[in-house]
Amino acid sequence: MVSLYYIKCFLIRITKGPRKFLNKIKAIHSDGSSHAVALLTSPSFSPPPLLYPLHFLLSLLLQNLSNSFPFSTSLAPLSLYLEFVPMAAFSAVKIPPPQFTTVRSSSQRPGSSPFQSVHSSSAFNSISFGSAKSVRSRPLFAVSSDVVSSDKTKAASSSASIPAVTREVALELYEDMVLGRAFEDMCAQMYYRGKMFGFVHLYNGQEAVSTGFIKLLNQSDKVVSTYRDHVHALSKGVPSREVMAELFGKATGCCRGQGGSMHMFSAAHNLLGGFAFIGEGIPVATGAAFSAKYHHEVLKQSKPEGLDVTLAFFGDGTCNNGQFFECLNMAQLWKLPIIFVVENNLWAIGMSHLRATSDPEIWKKGPAFGMPGVHVDGMDVLKVREVAQEAIARARRGEGPTLVECETYRFRGHSLADPDELRKPDEKAHYASRDPIVALKKYIIEHGLASESELKSIDKKIDDVVEDAVEFADSSPLPPRSQLLENVFADPKGFGIGPDGKYRCEDPLFTQGTAQV
Amino acid sequence: MAALLSAPSTPVASDRARVGSLRLAARNGGALVVRSEAKVSGGVSARGANLITHAVAEKAAAASSTDSKPGHELLLFEALREGLDEEMERDPTVCVMGEDVGHYGGSYKVTKGLATKYGDLRVLDTPIAENSFTGMGIGSAMTGLRPVVEGMNMGFLLLAYNQISNNCGMLHYTSGGQFKIPIVIRGPGGVGRQLGAEHSQRLESYFQSIPGLQMVACSTPYNAKGLMKAAIRSENPVVLFEHVLLYNLKERIPDEEYVLSLEEAEMVRPGEHVTILTYSRMRYHVMQAAKTLVNKGYDPEVIDIRSLKPFDLYTIGNSIKKTHRVLIVEECMRTGGIGASLRSAIIDNFWDYLDAPILCLSSQDVPTPYAGTLENWTVVQPEQIVAAVEQLCK
């Protein structure tokens, strides 16, 4: 039985090429045998006709095999074919680092809708608790795009399905993503015109993650971000005027011009930053989640909807950082209401995720700490939203953290100073074709949620909002000298006692910003 | 002015005390000068009221507000615990985080019994992840709590330097004042008894440049409790430096509640001849040296600066204006230590009042060796302090 499988693998390899073979094997062995079953028996998987009989036999055998194994996240059932993978993969063919990541979720085929009908099966059951033997028609986790691409029935089934969201929600999502995109494009323009300086990291292409998650939050829920935080701020509700003014370094900015692009904070909107060092915000987010639990359990300030949730956004590069792992441990240990959202855009400046990471599947690191790890197509806002809903509900109920890996892509370079020479044009084109805004627009129109002209009017409205933000920022004053010493300490007595016996902050020059401290 | 400074000048404090005259008048009156050489001469008896009978300040002098109350006696680590307990009782948002603070009671028993009293969430036993649990403390401070983060040894907080520097110190500023970080970071540091290089670090010199951070060092049970309470009540992030060898100091402290000022220095022993600025454990070496110095006829003024950042320039300045000579005794390394900063602050502000170069006795720039003899030679010993004062007062 096992050797039959090996032969099948070998046959597949010679028929479809080494890269695709590796895709399949990685896709299969990463998800557990239930997925292997789903893969091999799903109507979407069509091997070459030559192998139909073999495929059929093997599928039967594998199904029987997997039915007798308990489902779990352990690799025991996989060891059977895992030992053959290296042999098969490396014996005859040298596998170079793939051009695209090998583990990527379903692509858009021209003509087919990327959004499918919502199915009620939870993404969490089959991964962490391993109870579901359900064979899902479209798994939410790591599947190679090549594997599912041959599904010809997709287009017909999905377009006839019920929309996943209401019209209001769809328009809200659309507007938020368009705001993010338009704002970031305007940032680039302003940067090149010399209105803002320093490091500016733009979020183009990743809007689905921000919108998909943050639009589900309440006012009192917290968001912690990285340096790529403009759109997180906008989604959380910080007015675009304040964000733009902050970028211009004006006194009317959300941080009075003292933070800048990489340090967006808003106490009113519970945006806890904006951190320049990667990984630095994750412990802060863990602390905010701890605080939520503390408020509930110690201070007895409970809310009817549940605990306040904290979202920590960070990238693939951060997932190799110690703070990430330390916080996964602590969050699960104390069942903190936090969601770790990995925006895996494959590149940490010029470092490909695959070149930096021993096991590039980040969602798997969740179960290693005892929390669910979910991989979702981050270019699809409805899929992200669905996963987010479940994760947020979990956290609110006090069931603990979730690790969500969103496969996404940034259309621009790491920052405006990045020449972006290392990424291949075809990779960029692949993801450009999966633009989340275009996809949502298509979805809205196909499901009759709104008309083209309504969407265009939203586009126009957002353009006006962004223009207004720029005008506001332009006309705002620069911070005066008096602002220099004001916020160093919450209690300015911290500057100490001067030679004259008075506190330094009592010096009249202090408010002018010229006092000796 | 230059001539005055370079000449071997002698202390004239007695004249100033008697006649209340200005520095300048006293300096010109050469006949009234009292030489501070080996023996206490007949000139001393003329000072009658200023006769020094005690090398160490009376406890009453230190605990000035509590002369009438008997108080209770306890050890320094108990005083810290008392301060912490009182604050936790008073404010339910005060919580403790650190390794072994809960069930174990703290590696130096500072938090003993608190977990039983307040629960595991308020006295949180963390995994060994300093950077992350310090960051967690910062995140919870931003969202309404008042955490006290314990580093089991101050040296371990080097691992938390990222969070302490970037977030603790700077977040209030970079957020434009939107978030305050009322966190207390505390732990024992300093050179102990043969603990080895890594457990004998003095982090005050590393943290002092971080803007937005306040640093205090406690040295007696009285100021330990007072500073702990003040640090917890402060809206600023405060790093409280304790010393491994001082935890078992016993002292009688007041029964009633008291909170000390974080920015003020403590006058340990008023004097006339030389200002000795010190903090933490070196205070005791200085006081030991002071006994010898008094026997030799010197009258050192000892100030425990307590506030390492910012410096209490008022107390220090008044002292310098009185004695004109400064000796700094610290346990930090010579390079970039607290003494180095203090020296430049004194030069900036009190240059005109100095009669001699500022001497700074610090530890050698050496990783603390394990061997007891070597360890003793890396830190400042009382003999060196005596020699330095003698040199200053020549």
Side-chain angles (χ1 to χ4, degrees):
Chain A
M1 160 269 306
V2 161
S3 52
L4 273 177
Y5 187 79
Y6 171 57
I7 292 168
K8 174 187 156 97
C9 294
F10 183 69
L11 285 170
I12 292 172
R13 180 162 70 84
I14 59 171
T15 53
K16 289 208 175 176
R19 184 161 65 84
K20 290 180 178 163
F21 164 73
L22 192 62
N23 291 349
K24 284 181 181 36
I25 296 302
K26 275 202 172 180
I28 291 167
H29 82 70
S30 65
D31 295 328
S33 45
S34 64
H35 180 57
V37 172
L39 196 61
L40 292 170
T41 55
S42 79
S44 55
F45 183 87
S46 52
L50 190 69
L51 293 171
Y52 276 161
L54 197 60
H55 172 242
F56 177 67
L57 280 169
L58 280 167
S59 307
L60 274 183
L61 282 164
L62 208 57
Q63 192 154 21
N64 280 323
L65 178 71
S66 57
N67 282 343
S68 58
F69 278 99
F71 286 98
S72 68
T73 50
S74 81
L75 290 175
L78 310 171
S79 59
L80 294 163
Y81 40 89
L82 263 185
E83 59 193 87
F84 293 102
V85 169
M87 279 174 59
F90 299 110
S91 57
V93 174
K94 181 178 184 299
I95 311 287
Q99 301 282 28
F100 297 25
T101 177
T102 55
V103 183
R104 297 262 99 180
S105 62
S106 55
S107 64
Q108 298 174 356
R109 291 200 73 226
S112 70
S113 164
F115 301 101
Q116 55 175 11
S117 58
V118 174
H119 46 85
S120 57
S121 65
S122 154
F124 302 85
N125 288 338
S126 49
I127 295 177
S128 66
F129 309 119
S131 57
K133 291 190 185 184
S134 57
V135 173
R136 307 205 318 234
S137 58
R138 182 70 65 88
L140 273 180
F141 41 89
V143 183
S144 161
S145 47
D146 305 344
V147 167
V148 202
S149 61
S150 50
D151 178 10
K152 291 169 184 51
T153 59
K154 263 172 33 184
S157 60
S158 53
S159 56
S161 53
I162 305 160
V165 288
T166 62
R167 177 192 145 85
E168 288 71 34
V169 171
L171 290 179
E172 185 195 4
L173 300 180
Y174 181 78
E175 183 169 335
D176 194 52
M177 290 206 286
V178 169
L179 173 61
R181 181 70 60 88
F183 190 92
E184 297 292 70
D185 284 339
M186 184 58 81
C187 279
Q189 268 195 58
M190 292 297 113
Y191 189 84
Y192 293 127
R193 282 193 211 173
K195 298 286 181 70
M196 60 176 89
F197 299 95
F199 293 127
V200 178
H201 308 84
L202 298 180
Y203 202 74
N204 297 47
Q206 298 182 197
E207 295 88 0
V209 181
S210 177
T211 302
F213 268 94
I214 299 180
K215 283 303 170 198
L216 288 168
L217 295 181
N218 299 333
Q219 167 77 350
S220 58
D221 292 323
K222 322 271 191 286
V223 167
V224 174
S225 180
T226 58
Y227 45 74
R228 206 179 296 281
D229 55 355
H230 307 166
V231 180
H232 294 140
L234 293 171
S235 292
K236 194 64 175 63
V238 183
S240 29
R241 280 185 160 196
E242 284 181 29
V243 182
M244 191 60 85
E246 182 64 31
L247 291 169
F248 282 28
K250 300 292 176 85
T252 48
C254 55
C255 302
R256 307 179 83 196
Q258 288 165 197
S261 166
M262 298 187 280
H263 304 283
M264 293 287 169
F265 288 82
S266 174
H269 297 96
N270 281 306
L271 174 67
L272 269 55
F275 293 92
F277 287 21
I278 62 155
E280 205 173 48
I282 306 178
V284 173
T286 311
F290 174 79
S291 182
K293 187 181 167 99
Y294 190 100
H295 277 84
H296 170 73
E297 287 188 21
V298 176
L299 301 176
K300 310 283 188 232
Q301 292 167 11
S302 307
K303 295 188 180 158
E305 55 266 25
L307 296 170
D308 279 338
V309 169
T310 305
L311 298 186
F313 289 93
F314 48 94
D316 43 284
T318 309
C319 296
N320 295 325
N321 190 277
Q323 285 167 110
F324 168 65
F325 297 109
E326 288 173 357
C327 290
L328 284 185
N329 178 42
M330 292 197 291
Q332 177 61 23
L333 186 63
W334 299 314
K335 296 260 193 300
L336 301 181
I338 183 172
I339 302 165
F340 298 100
V341 184
V342 183
E343 296 170 321
N344 184 353
N345 57 21
L346 287 185
W347 291 87
I349 309 187
M351 192 65 171
S352 154
H353 177 56
L354 301 167
R355 286 186 68 220
T357 317
S358 53
D359 186 348
E361 289 165 292
I362 300 168
W363 63 270
K364 280 161 70 182
K365 299 177 187 183
F369 288 88
M371 70 178 83
V374 189
H375 178 282
V376 68
D377 177 4
M379 305 305 273
D380 180 336
V381 67
L382 296 180
K383 285 189 192 148
V384 171
R385 188 181 161 90
E386 191 197 340
V387 168
Q389 242 152 5
E390 181 123 13
I392 290 169
R394 249 181 67 87
R396 277 210 211 290
R397 290 192 298 264
E399 288 171 25
T402 313
L403 177 66
V404 181
E405 179 186 355
C406 303
E407 170 209 335
T408 183
Y409 202 76
R410 51 170 167 82
F411 294 158
R412 287 181 178 267
H414 164 76
S415 69
L416 288 174
D418 175 18
D420 195 16
E421 288 158 346
L422 285 179
R423 303 193 300 175
K424 297 274 185 293
D426 43 0
E427 183 188 78
K428 294 188 201 178
H430 171 80
Y431 284 99
S433 70
R434 290 165 62 179
D435 188 331
I437 296 176
V438 169
L440 180 62
K441 184 169 184 173
K442 191 155 188 217
Y443 183 88
I444 288 174
I445 291 172
E446 275 182 3
H447 286 78
L449 294 169
S451 65
E452 177 102 28
S453 64
E454 280 178 299
L455 296 179
K456 280 232 175 347
S457 72
I458 292 179
D459 290 346
K460 173 84 182 49
K461 175 177 146 199
I462 293 298
D463 280 341
D464 289 340
V465 165
V466 173
E467 289 271 351
D468 169 72
V470 170
E471 268 168 39
F472 173 78
D474 253 338
S475 58
S476 292
L478 285 165
R481 179 105 194 225
S482 57
Q483 208 179 294
L484 181 66
L485 303 171
E486 269 170 15
N487 301 125
V488 178
F489 288 104
D491 178 4
K493 296 220 290 276
F495 277 120
I497 302 171
D500 56 0
K502 291 203 290 236
Y503 276 96
R504 299 249 200 220
C505 55
E506 292 165 2
D507 180 346
L509 292 181
F510 184 84
T511 45
Q512 293 172 30
T514 51
Q516 172 67 39
V517 291
Chain B
M1 187 55 82
L4 272 172
L5 285 174
S6 57
S9 51
T10 49
V12 293
S14 57
D15 302 290
R16 268 200 304 283
R18 245 208 322 253
V19 305
S21 62
L22 293 172
R23 170 179 59 89
L24 201 57
R27 200 178 289 279
N28 288 335
L32 299 171
V33 166
V34 175
R35 299 299 307 261
S36 65
E37 275 162 1
K39 288 199 185 31
V40 174
S41 61
V44 174
S45 58
R47 293 189 291 149
N50 292 338
L51 186 65
I52 305 139
T53 49
H54 302 285
V56 179
E58 302 272 346
K59 286 294 189 298
S64 51
S65 62
T66 62
D67 294 322
S68 52
K69 302 271 196 265
H72 56 284
E73 211 172 48
L74 42 49
L75 304 176
L76 196 145
F77 74 91
E78 291 169 341
L80 286 166
R81 189 194 317 146
E82 225 178 66
L84 192 47
D85 195 358
E86 283 175 18
E87 289 303 303
M88 287 180 82
E89 185 124 22
R90 176 181 174 268
D91 184 350
T93 61
V94 178
C95 54
V96 184
M97 302 178 185
E99 294 159 12
D100 272 332
V101 293
H103 295 187
Y104 195 74
S107 49
Y108 292 92
K109 301 296 173 237
V110 173
T111 49
K112 187 172 175 188
L114 294 181
T116 331
K117 186 172 174 187
Y118 295 109
D120 279 348
L121 209 59
R122 279 192 82 180
V123 186
L124 188 71
D125 277 322
T126 60
I128 304 172
E130 277 80 6
N131 201 15
S132 292
F133 71 68
T134 306
M136 216 176 92
I138 292 164
S140 30
M142 287 166 77
T143 46
L145 301 186
R146 302 186 82 94
V148 177
V149 173
E150 171 171 318
M152 192 183 270
N153 185 286
M154 263 291 169
F156 301 167
L157 292 178
L158 284 174
L159 290 156
Y161 203 101
N162 176 21
Q163 291 290 340
I164 293 173
S165 171
N166 284 339
N167 290 344
C168 203
M170 299 194 198
L171 257 177
H172 184 74
Y173 194 79
T174 46
S175 68
Q178 291 184 83
F179 291 98
K180 61 180 169 98
I181 326 268
I183 194 175
V184 178
I185 298 175
R186 50 161 290 268
V191 176
R193 294 255 180 272
Q194 298 188 248
L195 298 178
E198 291 179 11
H199 281 79
S200 312
Q201 299 193 68
R202 284 78 77 189
L203 257 52
E204 51 267 26
S205 52
Y206 304 166
F207 288 155
Q208 64 175 325
S209 287
I210 300 174
L213 209 61
Q214 265 188 273
M215 305 197 312
V216 286
C218 62
S219 48
T220 66
Y222 178 77
N223 64 32
K225 181 176 171 185
L227 289 175
M228 171 72 96
K229 289 169 73 84
I232 292 173
R233 292 191 194 189
S234 171
E235 301 298 319
N236 298 333
V238 180
V239 185
L240 171 57
F241 290 91
E242 302 152 14
H243 198 285
V244 277
L245 293 179
L246 298 184
Y247 277 133
N248 289 326
L249 282 179
K250 190 181 277 199
E251 190 182 5
R252 182 164 287 273
I253 67 169
D255 286 327
E256 71 270 14
E257 200 185 26
Y258 66 95
V259 179
L260 295 175
S261 167
L262 286 174
E263 297 88 23
E264 282 175 18
E266 184 179 321
M267 177 68 69
V268 182
R269 178 190 186 283
E272 305 283 335
H273 294 167
V274 59
T275 299
I276 305 183
L277 302 171
T278 182
Y279 65 92
S280 194
R281 184 192 168 210
M282 286 296 121
R283 166 184 173 143
Y284 295 93
H285 280 205
V286 166
M287 293 315 293
Q288 203 179 325
K291 283 196 212 145
T292 315
L293 285 168
V294 163
N295 291 339
K296 291 189 176 192
Y298 296 93
D299 186 14
E301 175 154 297
V302 181
I303 293 176
D304 183 340
I305 59 173
R306 255 178 22 198
S307 175
L308 305 180
K309 178 179 166 146
F311 296 128
D312 178 3
L313 290 175
Y314 183 61
T315 311
I316 293 170
N318 285 349
S319 178
I320 295 172
K321 288 174 189 174
K322 185 164 57 156
T323 66
H324 309 300
R325 283 170 175 76
V326 184
L327 170 65
I328 301 171
V329 181
E330 58 161 359
E331 206 174 319
C332 263
M333 311 289 197
R334 166 159 303 278
T335 306
I338 297 291
S341 301
L342 190 50
R343 216 177 198 169
S344 55
I346 293 172
I347 289 172
D348 278 346
N349 289 288
F350 308 115
W351 174 259
D352 290 340
Y353 298 98
L354 291 171
D355 283 353
I358 305 170
L359 280 188
C360 181
L361 296 177
S362 343
S363 296
Q364 303 280 340
D365 278 346
V366 164
T368 314
Y370 167 72
T373 45
L374 291 175
E375 186 182 69
N376 284 339
W377 291 323
T378 58
V379 296
V380 178
Q381 297 298 336
E383 303 80 48
Q384 293 166 271
I385 301 171
V386 172
V389 170
E390 286 177 334
Q391 189 193 335
L392 260 182
C393 293
K394 261 208 279 285

